[in-house]
Amino acid sequence: MIINKKILGELDKAYATTIMNINGETKYLVATEGNGPCMMYDEASQIGSPVWDGPGGTMNIVPIPGRKNEFIATQDFTPTFQAKDSKIVYAKCDSNSKWTIHPIMAIPYLHRFDIFTLNNKLFFIGATLCEDKEYKDDWSKPGKVYVGEIPMEICKPFKLKAILQDITKNHGFCRGKWKNRNAYLISGSEGVFVLYLPENDSEEWEVEQILNHEVSDIAVCDIDTDGVMELAAIEPFHGSRGIIYKYIDDRLVSIHEHEYEFGHVVWGGKILNKPSFIIGGRKGNRELNCFQIDDTSRKIKHFTIDNKGGPSNIAVLNKTNTDVILAANREIGEIAVYELIESPEA
């Protein structure tokens, strides 16, 4: 494995990441969770330009399915324990690469969200870290998961319905397949919950609890290609262990653990066409590791992508012969891309 790291720029408290196509070109977007900009970098030239200069407090940047040059993002989630004024905004880029930003509505403490389509309609699903806080470590008002249909005129507010409630330290959020069904996985102090997408928007969401202890961040991937998804998790909240779970005798069993300090990144998918989990920690040795099944031993092995970054979030772009990881290395204020290339065989 050859890993080439390139530093695109500096950004204090770099946090939210996405990779999307803008006017026919691949762009890397990273925004700060502090006070400051959202930056866009061109894949080819690596030249950066601001999407906005502020206010910051951006937890997520989510491209809108089926629409070009458009995304929804959070702003004003700052500081994290006083984020009553956090909101979602609609961003659109024109053919001259000029951005317009429109506020949609406030959603206090919105920590993670996604956009999905159902019956040719756009829907928002979002998880709040909590519903309110009096001070930093106040977790007395647990978070919720909300769903709402996004109107055709995207910058208009829309109604939200809570489909899961009372999730303390509501932090983990993952879209994927579970039991061969489209689902979102949510985690917090109470455990991990699977929210299965209904077939019609008028139907209720089915909820299943699959773990009942505190979990921070989560991802899914069929890492051993047996047709059943494995679950990767950081435990406990912002925790010290990266754990990979597998269903054995109808229960989730830990099959691999790795120590971290302030674990924060968990991603599941394919790296160089091989099922992989990527797990990273923000402090300590600030590792970002890729976990895969060894073809010979059939045991989990890992390689280190970086041990100096301290990423808050990553985005992955699978290309023809290489893959790219965009990392918001928050702890050192760095925006980086890692190009992964398979080593030529001897």
Side-chain angles (χ1 to χ4, degrees), residues 96-109:
N96 295 315
S97 297
K98 300 297 183 183
W99 289 91
T100 54
I101 315 297
H102 298 281
I104 300 175
M105 62 183 184
I107 307 178
Y109 294 95

Side-chain angles (χ1 to χ4, degrees), residues 281-300:
R282 276 172 43 176
K283 295 185 178 179
N285 56 18
R286 303 197 295 266
E287 282 182 279
L288 184 65
N289 296 316
C290 181
F291 296 85
Q292 300 176 331
I293 293 289
D294 183 82
D295 292 332
T296 303
S297 69
R298 301 304 296 168
K299 294 182 178 180
I300 293 177

Side-chain angles (χ1 to χ4, degrees), residues 45-60:
S45 69
Q46 299 184 7
I47 294 173
S49 60
V51 176
W52 60 67
D53 294 320
T58 299
M59 297 285 106
N60 296 263

Side-chain angles (χ1 to χ4, degrees), residues 26-206:
T26 299
K27 305 290 185 179
Y28 304 132
L29 278 71
V30 178
T32 176
E33 69 165 327
N35 297 309
C38 171
M39 296 295 298
M40 179 177 73
Y41 290 85
D42 180 72
E43 179 194 35
S45 69
Q46 299 184 7
I47 294 173
S49 60
V51 176
W52 60 67
D53 294 320
T58 299
M59 297 285 106
N60 296 263
I61 305 167
V62 181
I64 301 175
R67 300 176 70 122
K68 295 181 179 180
N69 303 351
E70 301 174 46
F71 68 78
I72 293 176
T74 44
Q75 286 185 348
D76 285 320
F77 195 110
T78 181
T80 55
F81 56 92
Q82 291 178 337
K84 295 180 182 180
D85 297 324
S86 65
K87 62 179 180 286
I88 52 174
V89 300
Y90 165 62
K92 183 175 182 178
C93 186
D94 66 18
S95 59
N96 295 315
S97 297
K98 300 297 183 183
W99 289 91
T100 54
I101 315 297
H102 298 281
I104 300 175
M105 62 183 184
I107 307 178
Y109 294 95
L110 177 66
H111 181 253
R112 292 283 183 261
F113 77 89
D114 193 25
I115 305 167
F116 64 93
T117 57
L118 185 62
N119 302 137
N120 297 316
K121 301 176 184 176
L122 280 177
F123 286 86
F124 166 96
I125 178 170
T128 56
L129 183 68
C130 61
E131 290 298 290
D132 199 0
K133 276 178 176 285
E134 296 297 327
Y135 50 91
K136 184 177 181 180
D137 294 320
D138 176 17
W139 297 105
S140 63
K141 300 176 182 65
K144 299 179 182 180
V145 179
Y146 294 96
V147 169
E149 183 181 347
I150 300 173
M152 289 295 293
E153 191 174 344
I154 293 180
C155 57
K156 284 190 174 182
F158 49 88
K159 293 182 179 179
L160 295 174
K161 175 185 176 181
I163 59 171
L164 184 64
Q165 304 190 50
D166 298 330
I167 307 299
T168 311
K169 300 181 182 179
N170 187 357
H171 202 264
F173 184 98
C174 169
R175 180 181 185 175
K177 290 276 190 178
W178 195 256
K179 296 184 177 178
N180 295 315
R181 297 170 63 185
N182 292 321
Y184 285 91
L185 285 81
I186 306 295
S187 61
S189 296
E190 291 77 12
V192 177
F193 299 82
V194 183
L195 282 61
Y196 296 102
L197 268 74
E199 293 186 4
N200 296 294
D201 56 274
S202 60
E203 296 177 359
E204 296 295 317
W205 288 62
E206 180 185 338

Side-chain angles (χ1 to χ4, degrees), residues 293-312:
I293 293 289
D294 183 82
D295 292 332
T296 303
S297 69
R298 301 304 296 168
K299 294 182 178 180
I300 293 177
K301 63 177 182 179
H302 82 273
F303 62 88
T304 299
I305 298 165
D306 197 356
N307 58 5
K308 298 178 181 179
S312 52

